[in-house]
């Protein structure tokens, strides 16, 4: 028996207006979560290299737990069990991206700060700056420039991770695709368009990040 498959381009084109409705949710979850995750990453990244064990150990535990478990499990736990019952799917999605990306960003921050030569700190102190002033005025700007590529990678990963949140009913791209497929039975065409839309988002972000990275390196 010969199997023939024909790609229905008209079905793919017709799905675009409906699928685009999911892009705002995808971007809101991604960048809302990443913004919080960046703040968490700075805090826990610096705590993870603190000399005081009672600050370092909890930070390390957070990092290992959220890096060592799947984000799908994390979002389900947040959605169903955080306060004893289901919460708003959008809130659960943002929280999952924030906590998950925060753990990875913590490692980026730790690596970036530790990559700066200790002589930079000594130079700042020799100029009469306090340790806090030296860190934020001398060490952090240099470290942040080195963090830009891995931070960009994490942003792209987090955008793609939102595709898993269809399981809790968030109306992002994949969920919009599932709804459309249920009505039209054009699964291959719809998921093809979903993939193209994700690619367009991540490629646009990659171009922006490369530009920022070049500007950062040029200012060194």
């Amino acid at each position: 028996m010969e199997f023939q498959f024909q790609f229905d381009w008209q079905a793919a084109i017709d799905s675009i207006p409906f699928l685009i409705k999911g892009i705002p949710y995808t971007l809101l979850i991604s960048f809302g979560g990443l913004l919080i995750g960046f703040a968490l990453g700075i805090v826990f990244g610096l705590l993870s290299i603190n000399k005081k064990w009672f600050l370092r150990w909890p930070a390390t535990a957070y990092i290992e737990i959220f890096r060592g478990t799947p984000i799908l499990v994390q979002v389900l736990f947040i959605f169903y069990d955080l306060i004893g019952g289901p919460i708003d799917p959008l809130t659960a999605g943002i929280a999952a991206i924030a906590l998950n990306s925060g753990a990875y960003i913590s490692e980026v921050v730790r690596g970036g700060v530790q990559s700066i030569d200790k002589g930079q700190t000594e130079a700042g102190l020799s100029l009469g700056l306090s340790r806090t002033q030296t860190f934020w005025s001398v060490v952090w700007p240099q470290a942040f420039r080195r963090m830009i590529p891995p931070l960009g990678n994490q942003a792209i990963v987090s955008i793609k991770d939102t595709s898993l949140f269809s399981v809790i009913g968030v109306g992002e791209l994949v969920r919009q695709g599932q709804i459309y497929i249920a009505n039209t039975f054009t699964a291959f065409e719809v998921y093809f368009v979903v993939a193209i839309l994700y690619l367009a988002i991540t490629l646009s972000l990659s171009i922006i990040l490369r530009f920022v990275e070049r500007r950062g390196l040029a200012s060194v």
Side-chain angles (χ1 to χ4, degrees), residues 29 65-78 92-101 104 154 157-165 167-168:
I29 294 170
I65 289 171
F66 281 92
R67 289 203 316 154
T69 55
I71 190 171
L72 179 58
V73 174
Q74 293 166 17
V75 75
L76 288 171
F77 181 83
I78 293 169
I94 293 174
I97 291 292
L99 292 169
N100 184 269
S101 66
Y104 285 94
Q154 182 56 48
V157 169
S158 292
I159 289 172
K160 294 187 293 183
D161 281 344
T162 62
S163 64
L164 300 172
F165 298 166
V167 298
I168 60 172

Side-chain angles (χ1 to χ4, degrees), residues 120-121 123-139:
Q120 297 293 315
T121 300
L125 295 174
S126 69
L127 292 173
L129 299 175
S130 67
R131 286 196 171 274
T132 301
Q133 290 173 326
T134 298
F135 178 80
W136 292 112
S137 300
V138 180
V139 176

Side-chain angles (χ1 to χ4, degrees), residues 1-5:
M1 187 171 95
E2 185 179 353
F3 176 76
Q4 292 184 344
F5 174 78

Side-chain angles (χ1 to χ4, degrees), residues 46-61:
L46 296 180
L47 288 177
S48 70
I49 56 177
N50 195 287
K51 294 180 180 180
K52 297 177 180 177
W53 67 269
F54 57 86
L55 295 176
R56 186 175 67 253
W57 288 8
T60 301

